[in-house]
Amino acid sequence: EADAAGFSDLSDSELLQAEEPREAEEPRSARGPDGAGKRKRAQRPLDRCALRYLCVTGLAGQSWCEQQMVFGMEQPRPLAPETAALLDTGKSIHLARELEVHDLVKIPTTSREDCWAIKILNLLSVIPVLQAGGHVRELPVFGVIEGVFVSGIIDELCYNTKGELELNELKTRSRPFMPGKAQRKKDHFQVSLYKYIFDTMVQGQLKPDVFTNHIHLRPEQLLGCQLRKHAQKIGFMITSFGDLLELMHLNLMFSDIPGIDCLKIEYSHQESSVPLGTEVVPYEEATVKEKAQYYLAYWKGQREVRGVDIEEAWKCQSCGYSEICNWRKKRAEGLEKRNEPKKSK
Ligand code: SF4
């Protein structure tokens, strides 16, 4: 079977993992003595939250409720124990699937460039597997959309029986049935964004200066000793972060890997592992771009944050921020006013 061949191709491969994962963003307190002044001047939510990039899952979260996603970034709260347990189990299931196709190697990191180099090396290491028609998991993707750097991780890519490149996203659920329309809409947008970014990458559009201009990484930074050794082991002679960026650009540009042909989401019940169903997601590039443009407009300070529309007010019932949410309050006040009996003249 084609898939089985893919598995065996990869059984000896390794994916790197930062030993002590470092937050990619510089801490707010590290902005120097005039940090407070800079914060005051910073108007764009991206600057206010000290973000140099956004994640695909975050943008998809905006399609559920933008205000909730923003609260989550600005005022993160500990998860409810049952939610945390669900997420932990979900992570373990993903990890188990990942370990089926490669081993994880812990690499110590000493700079932000080392952390990003790990992601880029992981991307470089799967290119030959895809070129050989193999099967990969946990593939990092990066790109710039509407002037904002966006990063994500594709669950799985493989070639189907028609020879098409197929993306598979696994979603585990606490409840033993398929999600509703709103959840599916969010998931569809997530996988569509993965395709959009992946396709631009394999078309050679991910240029080295994207990493220096958008996330302010230093091309001249020397990479850590163990990282360089591992890169050499998989065939890349690199010294600095800039060397790696050049290699990434050339490898992607001349890879001949096709764009993604088919998007699938597999839902399964977390407790029993029973598959609940698989959705084939239609892809419309114009719609994906339009949505991304709308969501990114908030981060670029071009419009105010929005909560859910009245038809989706049911989402507020299970929202951890409902008691501080002005959007919800204003909507309730507006409804009350509309329902007030009209005074007789
Ligand atoms: Fe969004 Fe409703 Fe939560 Fe406000 S209360 S953040 S509108 S889900």
Side-chain angles (χ1 to χ4, degrees):
E1 282 174 16
D3 283 358
F7 268 96
S8 60
D9 284 349
L10 254 173
S11 59
D12 295 332
S13 78
E14 294 170 333
L15 223 61
L16 308 185
Q17 202 179 40
E19 203 159 65
E20 289 167 11
R22 292 158 60 106
E23 184 48 49
E25 303 311 321
E26 100 188 356
R28 285 165 211 201
S29 57
R31 287 174 165 192
D34 64 342
K38 278 185 187 167
R39 272 202 297 278
K40 211 170 172 186
R41 285 198 299 274
Q43 292 302 316
R44 304 187 320 161
L46 265 180
D47 303 325
R48 211 170 53 226
C49 298
L51 294 170
R52 291 187 178 137
Y53 68 95
L54 292 172
C55 294
V56 169
T57 45
L59 282 173
Q62 273 177 267
S63 100
W64 177 265
C65 174
E66 182 172 273
Q67 177 64 86
Q68 189 187 64
M69 185 262 185
V70 171
F71 276 142
M73 296 200 86
E74 292 182 346
Q75 309 176 37
R77 292 178 176 184
L79 295 168
E82 56 281 14
T83 314
L86 275 174
L87 282 178
D88 280 350
T89 316
K91 275 187 200 159
S92 306
I93 294 170
H94 275 89
L95 181 62
R97 283 199 168 195
E98 192 184 349
L99 291 174
E100 283 172 5
V101 293
H102 50 234
D103 294 330
L104 290 179
V105 179
K106 295 234 183 229
I107 299 278
T109 56
T110 54
S111 64
R112 290 177 65 229
E113 286 74 12
D114 276 356
C115 295
W116 282 87
I118 284 181
K119 298 181 198 196
I120 295 170
L121 276 175
N122 284 339
L123 167 65
L124 286 178
S125 68
V126 298
I127 290 177
V129 184
L130 284 175
Q131 283 170 323
H135 185 161
V136 300
R137 287 210 166 116
E138 303 294 314
L139 170 86
V141 286
F142 323 102
V144 175
I145 309 178
E146 292 290 317
V148 179
F149 189 96
V150 180
S151 158
I153 297 184
I154 292 177
D155 261 3
E156 182 178 9
L157 276 184
C158 60
Y159 293 91
N160 63 20
T161 47
K162 290 190 215 156
E164 297 169 330
L165 187 56
E166 187 175 288
L167 177 150
N168 288 306
E169 170 78 17
L170 171 69
K171 298 276 181 207
T172 55
R173 289 181 52 75
S174 59
R175 288 180 283 183
F177 45 83
M178 287 289 277
K181 199 172 154 198
Q183 178 68 48
R184 296 211 310 271
K185 190 172 127 199
K186 170 177 171 278
D187 298 341
H188 287 192
F189 182 53
Q190 182 183 341
V191 295
S192 298
L193 267 181
Y194 287 142
K195 169 173 163 59
Y196 181 74
I197 300 174
F198 179 88
D199 288 2
T200 57
M201 273 185 2
V202 295
Q203 284 158 12
Q205 290 181 37
L206 184 63
K207 304 269 164 54
D209 63 1
V210 157
F211 288 80
T212 46
N213 295 343
H214 288 266
I215 31 182
H216 307 161
L217 295 167
R218 298 158 297 175
E220 70 283 0
Q221 173 68 33
L222 296 183
L223 296 173
C225 175
Q226 285 209 36
L227 195 52
R228 295 207 306 255
K229 269 192 200 151
H230 191 86
Q232 194 176 351
K233 199 174 129 194
I234 56 172
F236 302 114
M237 295 295 289
I238 45 169
T239 308
S240 67
F241 185 63
D243 296 343
L244 183 60
L245 291 178
E246 290 296 336
L247 264 178
M248 175 203 69
H249 180 53
L250 291 174
N251 272 268
L252 284 169
M253 205 161 56
F254 297 111
S255 68
D256 276 339
I257 297 173
I260 295 170
D261 299 297
C262 177
L263 300 172
K264 278 189 182 167
I265 307 176
E266 177 193 335
Y267 293 95
S268 87
H269 182 221
Q270 204 174 75
E271 204 185 329
S272 62
S273 301
V274 169
L276 302 172
T278 299
E279 286 223 305
V280 177
V281 179
Y283 179 76
E284 285 169 30
E285 186 166 309
T287 315
V288 177
K289 276 167 89 171
E290 198 183 312
K291 271 192 174 188
Q293 186 178 37
Y294 178 75
Y295 294 137
L296 288 167
Y298 164 72
W299 292 104
K300 295 196 286 180
Q302 294 166 348
R303 64 171 176 81
E304 292 297 314
V305 67
R306 282 184 61 87
V308 296
D309 289 330
I310 187 74
E311 303 79 41
E312 296 201 313
W314 52 268
K315 290 179 182 172
C316 305
Q317 287 166 16
S318 57
C319 172
Y321 297 96
S322 59
E323 81 286 2
I324 58 161
C325 178
N326 276 335
W327 177 274
R328 178 174 177 260
K329 225 180 276 169
K330 280 187 191 152
R331 201 189 50 221
E333 285 165 5
L335 268 183
E336 259 174 39
K337 270 194 192 146
R338 274 207 340 234
N339 293 337
E340 270 173 16
K342 289 199 180 114
K343 285 180 189 154
S344 54
K345 288 181 186 169

